[in-house]
Amino acid sequence: MKILVTGSAGFIGSKLSEQLCLRGDDVVGIDILNDYYAVSLKEARLKRIEETLSRAESDKTGKFRFIKMDLADREAMETLFAEEQFDKVMNLAAQAGVRYSIENPLSYVESNIVGFAHILEGCRHNKVKHLVYASSSSVYGLNESMPFSVHDNVDHPISLYAASKKSGELMAHTYSHLYQLPTTGLRFFTVYGPWDRPDMALQKFAKAIFEGKPIDVYNYGKHRRDFTYIDDIVEGIIRVLDNVAQPNRDWSGETPDPGSSLAPWRIYNIGNQQPVELLTYIETLEKHLGKKAEKNLLPLQPGDVPDTFADVADLVKDVGYKPSTTVEEGIKNFSQWYKSYYKIN
């Protein structure tokens, strides 16, 4: 297949692009390469894709082609879709970060709402067979029922980042309903691993630890997160891409199910199903870095949810998704990568 991966220089997008090509798909990757964090890391991820594919022994390996492009550029997006005629699309491009959205809310509108509208229009007018897109566990907002289920109502987000992701789910449903465009949203639960973003917990903590600076630990380290390793996330994405969204014929407007529809539209949680307390996460990082952290214990940050815990039963049932990487193994892999990439002995 020919697959468009947006955000292909990102943490998840680069790994996904690599794995799709290794199994034989041709991938066109786009990314704006903005300076939200170091562009050098994004460029290194793109270089890693090329190096991995050049070492691949199979003659069935697909090709990867990168184009620098902004989702918010309507004309460029229209041209891209018309010229390339993609079979499927994975939209990972987004302005990320809950805390950043508190200070810079409007940047999320341009990328996560306007940019996503251009993706939907491109898919609609060019007969894309399946659009899969990144949502977030943040949409659960003030929900307290655990584990979080796609069959629960999620109308109370507490950050504009979460609201923009919820907006994407609603926009996708409209296109699935009006134009019969199959769409699937994936609510990611705290993805971590090698090559992650510098603003994510592991890199922030590791950097501070090696610099001898204290780390800010919100909610006094007591909140739990459903930390999900990058390889498990990518495997789940590929399974979902291959499993085109279908209408739920049992759906009823009298008792509407928030996770499915009479349209070809689905929502899935994608997580590890094993929440870990933040302090335990930090202790595991200390162990594998071989250094102790100085902790600055703080109350819960505005916009953060206290706990996340994914109910992935639908994803297991529909695509056979089974995350297998423990936090111990995942943080060990991250620590080895971090010391190698930043040249720390």
Side-chain angles (χ1 to χ4, degrees), residues 24 82 100 234 247 330:
Y100 188 73
V234 167

Side-chain angles (χ1 to χ4, degrees), residues 1 3-5 13-27 53 60-63 90 234 237-239 241-242:
M1 295 183 291
I3 299 175
L4 170 65
V5 176
S14 58
K15 185 69 174 181
L16 174 65
S17 298
E18 174 187 291
Q19 292 302 306
L20 287 171
C21 289
L22 287 174
R23 76 166 193 169
D25 295 316
D26 289 335
V27 173
L53 298 183
K60 295 181 180 178
T61 302
K63 295 180 176 61
M90 179 66 217
V234 167
I237 292 172
I238 292 174
R239 286 173 180 259
L241 269 170
D242 291 343

Side-chain angles (χ1 to χ4, degrees), residues 233-302:
I233 285 285
V234 167
E235 180 194 344
I237 292 172
I238 292 174
R239 286 173 180 259
V240 169
L241 269 170
D242 291 343
N243 189 65
V244 178
Q246 302 294 325
N248 176 7
R249 301 300 179 190
D250 295 326
W251 194 90
S252 167
E254 294 182 351
T255 55
D257 169 26
S260 65
S261 175
L262 285 174
W265 176 89
R266 293 301 303 264
I267 296 291
Y268 292 111
N269 287 331
I270 183 164
N272 197 41
Q273 285 199 119
Q274 295 183 16
V276 173
E277 191 173 86
L278 181 59
L279 279 179
T280 302
Y281 194 64
I282 294 170
E283 289 165 1
T284 307
L285 178 63
E286 291 173 324
K287 171 184 172 182
H288 290 291
L289 291 180
K291 288 180 73 71
K292 285 287 184 180
E294 180 185 342
K295 303 174 186 69
N296 183 25
L297 300 178
L298 299 167
L300 190 67
Q301 177 89 346

Side-chain angles (χ1 to χ4, degrees), residues 50-98:
E50 297 292 353
E51 290 175 346
T52 300
L53 298 183
S54 68
R55 292 194 302 266
E57 298 178 358
S58 173
D59 58 0
K60 295 181 180 178
T61 302
K63 295 180 176 61
F64 176 76
R65 181 159 48 94
F66 176 74
I67 303 171
K68 184 178 179 181
M69 186 176 293
D70 184 355
L71 290 191
D73 186 336
R74 178 177 175 179
E75 185 175 330
M77 293 296 291
E78 287 176 349
T79 301
L80 175 75
F81 272 89
E83 290 181 349
E84 298 291 345
Q85 293 298 305
F86 301 109
D87 295 302
K88 297 182 179 180
V89 173
M90 179 66 217
N91 182 48
L92 289 160
Q95 178 58 60
V98 169

